Amino acid sequence: MTEHHDAHGDASALWPAPLASGGVDATVTVPGSKSVTNRALVLAALASDPGWLRRPLRSRDTVLMADALRSLGIGIEEMASSSSSASAASGVTGMPEGRGEAWRIIPGSPQAPATVNVGNAGTVMRFLPPLATLAEGPVHFDGDLRARERPVGALLDALRALGARVDDDGRGRLPATVHGAGSLDGGRVEVDASSSSQFISALLLSAPRFNQGVEVRHVGRSLPSTPHIRMTVDMLRRAGAQVDAPDSGGEPNVWRVTPGALLGRDLVVEPDLSNAQPFLAAALVTGGRVTIPDWPAHTTQPGDALREILTAMGGDCTLDEQGLTFTGSGRINGIDVDLKDVGELTPGIAAVAALADGESVLRGVSHLRLHETDRLAALTREINALGGDVTETDDGLRIRPRELHGGVFHTYDDHRLATAGAVLGLVVKDVEVENIATTGKTMPGFPELWQGMLAGAGSRA
């Protein structure tokens, strides 16, 4: 399968990052959470009755997930408005009124043969092979060239241990074919998820449909991004699954899911808090103020850690009925922080740290070398190309502030590299970000949102 450059736009195009003329002052409504949207799609596909997903994120990763589920015979109907005319035109009744875009998911037994294009979406390449074991026939997985380099071997081995037949020619990488038998025994399995917590989430999401459920035991090194596993567990429980997990007094590094029916839900997707990061960072680096509406008071999203991290770097935040308002102090402090649980925030924090008054050390993120790109190498290379002083450590980055200058900030088809470049461009003249369109992976319309923020006007996705 060839790489899908069309989904990212022209990879060689350069975007002149806008320079802020002063402190930003804006309200920015960010799109829904990718992590919640894609988990909800999988759970709805496995449910015993139809469900609704409201305010879902529409981005490359979520469209890939929806299209993949459709290829497996799951019904997903999208409506841009809740008006009766839209419902009537689609032939669907019972759509929630007055709530914006909604997707109706009509579950069913996964169908095969099928081919799944994972693009470069970790959630698609990892969450769907367990679901594919429930189909009767072969389901082939492939994607972008980078997807063929990302780790999935531990997950495929776990599926084999649970009774599945999987063919990857011994690579431990895509392309791979899951030969579904219509059901999976399930049971106990050990998996090394030190390279990606998604291996754990992938097995848990489909486990209610396994004959024996599942008992997953992590046996590797330190487990990264545990908030994402807590999100998976929380969403499973809300869909009616019985889950025993470390956060509820269970054995450390062990998760158990009992077989049983999942409920179709009417779920409102929270804003993607990690995608709010560049806008909050804009308030910090320009000494301005940004409000993110609908920030949840309680959430399992890792991005909620931004409140604590960015405050420590020199700002102040208030959470009230208006949302989260972050105000920069005009000064940026260096920080020594363990980001193991929130590794996806690392590019944005590194960009802010490069503009700080003192040295920063970002720890616990060695697994970022296996993300959309090797994020640690990429951040080091690109910030240093602008005059920075960044060095890689065994598990992160050491960033010493230097006066930066303009230049091209390469993104390697990585959406979080692109937004990090935009943050630097707010205060560093003549920064050009390569392939800003790659932000469409999780945040379509980012350039327009960014310009709207700088104009001081409220921005809405």
Side-chain angles (χ1 to χ4, degrees), residues 113-403:
T115 297
V116 171
N117 170 27
V118 308
N120 192 18
T123 50
V124 182
M125 72 179 71
R126 293 163 183 154
F127 290 179
L128 290 190
L131 183 147
T133 67
L134 305 174
E136 291 192 46
V139 180
H140 185 67
F141 291 85
D142 201 358
D144 294 357
L145 295 179
R146 174 61 179 172
R148 294 184 174 190
E149 301 171 353
R150 299 181 69 181
V152 293
L155 172 65
L156 301 183
D157 287 344
L159 291 176
R160 293 185 184 104
L162 293 171
R165 179 184 162 208
V166 183
D167 178 16
D168 65 351
D169 291 332
R171 289 182 302 268
R173 297 285 192 273
L174 298 184
T177 300
V178 176
H179 298 274
S183 65
L184 188 69
D185 288 340
R188 296 182 179 180
V189 67
E190 294 184 347
V191 60
D192 180 354
S194 56
S195 62
S196 176
S197 68
Q198 289 178 350
F199 298 160
I200 304 290
S201 288
L203 294 167
L204 300 182
L205 285 167
S206 292
R209 291 282 297 272
F210 298 165
N211 296 337
Q212 302 173 35
V214 80
E215 177 184 303
V216 181
R217 183 180 298 269
H218 167 60
V219 293
R221 303 184 309 277
S222 178
L223 184 62
S225 304
T226 53
H228 278 119
I229 300 177
R230 289 196 291 271
M231 176 187 292
T232 298
V233 169
D234 179 71
M235 293 182 68
L236 274 162
R237 287 172 175 159
R238 291 175 183 271
Q242 183 177 334
V243 186
D244 180 39
D247 68 342
S248 54
E251 187 178 351
N253 288 329
V254 178
W255 294 262
R256 297 180 181 89
V257 179
T258 302
L262 292 172
L263 307 174
R265 299 184 60 208
D266 185 353
L267 176 68
V268 179
V269 178
E270 296 174 353
D272 193 313
L273 307 188
S274 295
N275 276 345
Q277 180 183 39
F279 304 99
L280 299 178
L284 179 55
V285 303
T286 68
R289 178 178 61 187
V290 167
T291 297
I292 308 294
D294 301 319
W295 193 286
H298 304 284
T299 181
T300 55
Q301 287 193 61
D304 195 46
L306 287 167
R307 292 194 284 165
E308 179 180 353
I309 295 169
L310 292 182
T311 296
M313 297 189 81
D316 178 71
C317 67
T318 302
L319 182 61
D320 56 24
E321 64 277 2
Q322 303 301 318
L324 180 73
T325 298
F326 188 84
T327 305
S329 63
R331 178 176 178 177
I332 307 170
N333 304 321
I335 191 171
D336 188 328
V337 60
D338 187 335
L339 299 175
K340 179 185 74 171
D341 286 343
V342 291
E344 66 198 55
L345 303 181
T346 302
I349 293 170
V352 174
L355 302 169
D357 295 338
E359 180 177 292
S360 294
V361 179
L362 312 185
R363 308 178 185 276
V365 288
S366 59
H367 59 286
L368 295 189
R369 295 186 171 100
L370 301 171
H371 276 219
E372 279 83 343
T373 187
D374 179 341
R375 284 177 169 167
L376 300 185
L379 286 164
T380 300
R381 185 180 304 117
E382 297 310 314
I383 294 174
N384 287 350
L386 301 183
D389 183 359
V390 182
T391 55
E392 286 192 59
T393 64
D394 287 344
D395 71 339
L397 299 172
R398 183 178 301 275
I399 304 170
R400 299 176 178 89
R402 295 285 186 271
E403 184 173 352

